[in-house]
Amino acid sequence: MRAEPRSRAQRRADTLARLQTEFDCWVASADGMGNAHLVPLSYWWDGAALVLATPRSSPTATNLLRAGVARIGVGPTRDVVLVDGRVTEGVDDATADAHTEHTGFDARAEPDDYVYLRVEPTEIRAWREANELSGRLLMRDGAWLPIEE
Amino acid sequence: MRAEPRSRAQRRADTLARLQTEFDCWVASADGMGNAHLVPLSYWWDGAALVLATPRSSPTATNLLRAGVARIGVGPTRDVVLVDGRVTEGVDDATADAHTEHTGFDARAEPDDYVYLRVEPTEIRAWREANELSGRLLMRDGAWLPIEE
């Protein structure tokens, strides 16, 4: 039997829990010519943004710094959190430490030049099956939609 | 203990098995302005390509038909198959039937106008953890690399 669609309140709670507990995400980006790129990356949720670390010379870093925005998928394909967010470069040491603790990876110890990127959500969508496509938008313009639908 | 990196032969076998058995994938695309898009979609592997069905008016269909290429992720983030492929539009009835049987979704029965897209791999990469990043390229220019590394 298919589960009933979750309420917006439940989706928001599930979404925050997932952002806090997941270790990896799918990061889509594009260059100025319209060539799409996609990679899985570890991240840490700092309470307001996804923190990524990736080589400065990678297509993902180049594309995200060019565009200033990212589209990121978190979770399995049947329990999706999709984030559109604004990208900023650089984090403080405490944030980098927390990223290392969560992901097990310290980009500062790598021989290559890595860049930390914060992706602060402007829109968030979350759904499981087709019956949750309606009502999937949870955040717009950086603000959570009212829980009372 | 971290697992030993798989051989290229093992990665190829695992990759084909995953393409055949998985139900969903992450499809990255971009418009001509360099705006990236990302969605999870069901697919069926027809033996040579991923077959997708998505609304013709969706950003993914528009972007993929514009670009003629797709970048697709299959599997969990720690057991990744990354496909770059050429996109063509339309499939025969038998392929659409097989897509329906595999995904449980018949795009032809939808009220909206759907398009079937075939994504035929030109490059395939597969890896699990960081120790498999080396040797992750399995296919180039549509040809599997020799199994003997």
Side-chain angles (χ1 to χ4, degrees):
Chain A
M1 199 183 76
R2 168 175 282 185
E4 288 296 304
R6 292 169 294 168
S7 67
R8 185 181 284 163
Q10 188 62 49
R11 293 199 209 196
R12 185 199 291 191
D14 292 347
T15 293
L16 282 168
R18 181 165 291 286
L19 289 170
Q20 287 160 5
T21 56
E22 201 78 27
F23 296 101
D24 300 321
C25 62
W26 287 97
V27 182
S29 65
D31 67 19
M33 310 280 285
N35 298 301
H37 195 66
L38 177 66
V39 288
L41 286 181
S42 297
Y43 77 94
W44 176 63
W45 175 252
D46 72 4
L50 294 98
V51 177
L52 312 171
T54 191
R56 186 176 293 276
S57 62
S58 67
T60 296
T62 305
N63 291 345
L64 293 187
L65 289 171
R66 176 197 69 79
V69 294
R71 172 110 163 166
I72 293 179
V74 181
T77 53
R78 305 271 168 134
D79 189 6
V80 166
V81 174
L82 260 180
V83 172
D84 289 284
R86 273 187 300 265
V87 176
T88 54
E89 180 181 347
V91 297
D92 60 26
D93 284 344
T95 300
D97 289 344
H99 178 279
T100 296
E101 188 173 349
H102 182 72
T103 66
F105 170 74
D106 188 351
R108 298 164 295 183
E110 291 295 303
D112 296 335
D113 183 23
Y114 272 67
V115 59
Y116 284 96
L117 301 170
R118 283 184 86 243
V119 181
E120 188 165 4
T122 52
E123 292 190 7
I124 297 180
R125 290 168 177 77
W127 72 94
R128 288 182 176 158
E129 301 282 345
N131 67 338
E132 283 199 358
L133 285 173
S134 171
R136 66 187 179 277
L137 186 67
L138 301 182
M139 175 186 283
R140 186 167 46 203
D141 298 331
W144 294 98
L145 299 185
I147 282 183
E148 303 76 13
E149 295 188 58
Chain B
M1 200 182 74
R2 170 176 283 188
E4 288 295 305
R6 293 168 294 167
S7 67
R8 187 183 283 165
Q10 187 62 48
R11 293 199 210 196
R12 187 200 289 191
D14 292 346
T15 294
L16 282 169
R18 183 166 290 284
L19 289 171
Q20 287 160 4
T21 56
E22 201 78 26
F23 295 102
D24 300 321
C25 62
W26 288 96
V27 181
S29 64
D31 66 19
M33 310 280 285
N35 298 302
H37 196 65
L38 177 66
V39 288
L41 286 180
S42 297
Y43 77 93
W44 176 63
W45 175 251
D46 72 4
L50 295 97
V51 177
L52 312 170
T54 191
R56 186 177 292 277
S57 63
S58 66
T60 295
T62 305
N63 292 345
L64 294 187
L65 289 171
R66 176 197 68 80
V69 294
R71 172 111 161 165
I72 292 180
V74 181
T77 52
R78 305 271 167 132
D79 189 7
V80 167
V81 174
L82 260 179
V83 172
D84 288 284
R86 272 187 301 265
V87 176
T88 54
E89 179 181 346
V91 297
D92 60 25
D93 284 344
T95 299
D97 289 344
H99 179 278
T100 296
E101 189 173 347
H102 182 72
T103 66
F105 170 75
D106 188 352
R108 299 164 294 184
E110 292 295 304
D112 296 335
D113 184 22
Y114 272 66
V115 59
Y116 284 95
L117 301 170
R118 281 184 85 243
V119 182
E120 189 166 2
T122 52
E123 293 191 5
I124 296 180
R125 291 169 175 79
W127 72 95
R128 288 181 176 159
E129 300 282 344
N131 66 339
E132 284 200 358
L133 286 173
S134 172
R136 65 186 179 276
L137 187 66
L138 301 182
M139 175 185 283
R140 187 166 46 204
D141 297 333
W144 293 98
L145 299 185
I147 281 181
E148 303 76 16
E149 292 187 61

